[in-house]
Amino acid sequence: MTVTEGTPATRPAGQERRDEPVPFGPGSLLWDQMGLYTSAIAGNSVFILQVMHPAIGTVVDRLSSFRTDPLGRAARSFASVQTWVYGGQTAIDEGKRLREMHKPLSAVDEEGRRHHALSAEPWAWVHLTGFYAAVTAAKYFAPAPMTEEEEQQIFDEFLQLGRILRVPERMLPASIPDYWAYFDDMVAGTLVPHKVAHEVLAQMGRVPPNVPKPLRPAVAPLSAAGGRIGRLITVGTLPEAAREKLGLSWSAADERRLRLAAQVIGRSTPLLPERVRYMPIAYRARQAARAQERLERALAHRPM
C-alpha cells in the first residue's frame, strides 16, 4: 500500500507538534557530519530518489535550473542544507523561506495531472530521503560503522530537522522500523523511472553547459573523470529497487570498486584539516561555536 497524499506515515491523524523547532548546535551528530564535503557524496543518488517521485520530478522538470545551471543549483542547495544545521536562528528562518518559496511552484505532467511542490507527501519525501543518505554514507564512507545508538540519534535529529523544514508531523515516521517500512513502500509503490532521473545520470561526465566555450576542451577530461566516479557512487548508493526501476545494472565488480573508493575516502578524510573537510558555512559555524565557548569560560572565571 502506498502512502497517499496527506495520509499519515505512522502517526495518528491530528497528532501535530506545535512547539517551535530547536536549532542545532555542537554535540549533535548532524553538526559533526552534515557540513563535511563527503556528506555530499550520496547527494546525487538522493536527488535521483527525489525526482523519481512523480510530483517532484514534474516540478523539477518544468521549473528547475538543473539543466542550464547544474553547478549553481548544487551550490545553492548545499548552502541551504548547511544553513539548516549551522545557521542557529537563521535555520528556522530558512525553513520558513523555503516554504514560502515553494508555495507557488506547481506543474502539469504529460498526463495532465497538476503537482504542487508543497503537497505533504513530496515535501516530506524530499526531507526523509536525507536519513537514507546518512545511513548509506556511513555504511560506505565513514571511518567506522554507525552504532545503533548513533543511528537512533541521527534519526531523532532528522525528525528535529523535519520540524525546522515544516514537514507535517503526521508525515514523520515514529521509529526507525517505521521509517524503513515507509521508505521501502515509497520506492516500490510511488517512485517511477522519471525522465529527470535519467537526465541527471546522463549529465554525469559532461562539461557543465555554462562553462565558457574556450575553457570547455580543458575542462572536458576533468568532467569525464569526475563523471565516472560520480556515476559509480550514485548508482551504487541507490537502493536496489530504485536501480531496477531505472534499468541500471550493478555487478559484484561494481560493488568492489565502490567499496575500494569508499575506503580511500573514509580513511583519508579524517586526516585533512578541518578547513578542508568542511564546507564554508559549516567551518565558520564550528569556529564561531568554539570562540563562543572560550568567551563563556573566560566570563565564568573572570575576577570578581
Side-chain angles (χ1 to χ4, degrees):
M1 177 180 175
T2 301
V3 178
T4 55
E5 173 56 41
T7 301
T10 56
R11 296 176 185 271
Q15 183 177 334
E16 297 286 336
R17 292 176 63 99
R18 300 299 180 190
D19 301 337
E20 183 71 7
V22 179
F24 290 93
S28 63
L29 288 178
L30 288 183
W31 180 269
D32 289 334
Q33 296 178 13
M34 190 68 87
L36 291 167
Y37 279 105
T38 51
S39 72
I41 285 174
N44 270 331
S45 60
V46 167
F47 184 56
I48 286 172
L49 284 173
Q50 291 168 359
V51 298
M52 287 177 72
H53 190 290
I56 301 166
T58 298
V59 172
V60 169
D61 179 36
R62 301 291 193 266
L63 304 175
S64 174
S65 61
F66 82 98
R67 295 185 183 94
T68 57
D69 185 22
L71 296 180
R73 185 202 65 82
R76 290 187 292 273
S77 295
F78 286 131
S80 184
V81 170
Q82 288 183 79
T83 303
W84 305 344
V85 175
Y86 300 99
Q89 181 57 41
T90 305
I92 311 302
D93 298 337
E94 178 69 0
K96 295 175 181 177
R97 184 189 73 84
L98 289 174
R99 294 281 303 186
E100 289 300 315
M101 184 182 78
H102 284 82
K103 270 185 181 179
L105 300 185
S106 67
V108 179
D109 64 20
E110 286 83 355
E111 297 178 9
R113 296 172 299 187
R114 179 166 292 279
H115 299 279
H116 298 269
L118 269 189
S119 294
E121 183 188 276
W123 187 255
W125 178 244
V126 168
H127 165 63
L128 290 169
T129 53
F131 180 68
Y132 170 82
V135 171
T136 303
K139 173 185 173 183
Y140 284 102
F141 302 102
M146 190 182 294
T147 66
E148 289 185 9
E149 292 77 11
E150 288 171 334
E151 185 172 346
Q152 184 63 54
Q153 184 177 342
I154 283 285
F155 177 75
D156 292 340
E157 291 177 7
F158 264 99
L159 295 184
Q160 178 183 346
L161 181 56
R163 292 164 187 135
I164 289 175
L165 298 176
R166 300 304 198 268
V167 174
E169 190 74 18
R170 67 182 186 276
M171 303 303 294
L172 296 176
S175 67
I176 292 176
D178 287 331
Y179 173 84
W180 290 116
Y182 156 80
F183 181 87
D184 292 343
D185 185 63
M186 288 292 291
V187 174
T190 299
L191 302 195
V192 299
H194 202 281
K195 66 178 183 180
V196 172
H198 287 290
E199 282 190 56
V200 172
L201 288 165
Q203 281 182 351
M204 292 181 182
R206 295 177 182 172
V207 179
N210 48 356
V211 171
K213 188 174 181 179
L215 298 179
R216 297 180 73 82
V219 173
L222 297 175
S223 293
R228 285 192 293 272
I229 185 66
R231 184 180 176 89
L232 176 73
I233 292 171
T234 298
V235 175
T237 54
L238 283 170
E240 183 177 357
R243 285 199 298 261
E244 291 176 355
K245 282 198 171 187
L246 292 169
L248 301 173
S249 62
W250 187 253
S251 66
D254 292 328
E255 183 69 18
R256 288 194 295 272
R257 283 193 289 270
L258 173 59
R259 290 188 177 274
L260 178 60
Q263 189 176 55
V264 172
I265 293 169
R267 290 183 176 180
S268 60
T269 296
L271 305 177
L272 298 173
E274 184 181 41
R275 182 188 294 271
V276 178
R277 294 198 311 274
Y278 284 91
M279 294 181 234
I281 292 173
Y283 174 67
R284 297 299 182 191
R286 291 169 65 85
Q287 275 191 319
R290 289 193 294 269
Q292 181 63 31
E293 184 180 351
R294 289 194 294 270
L295 172 60
E296 290 173 359
R297 284 201 303 266
L299 292 172
H301 293 91
R302 70 190 185 277
M304 299 293 286

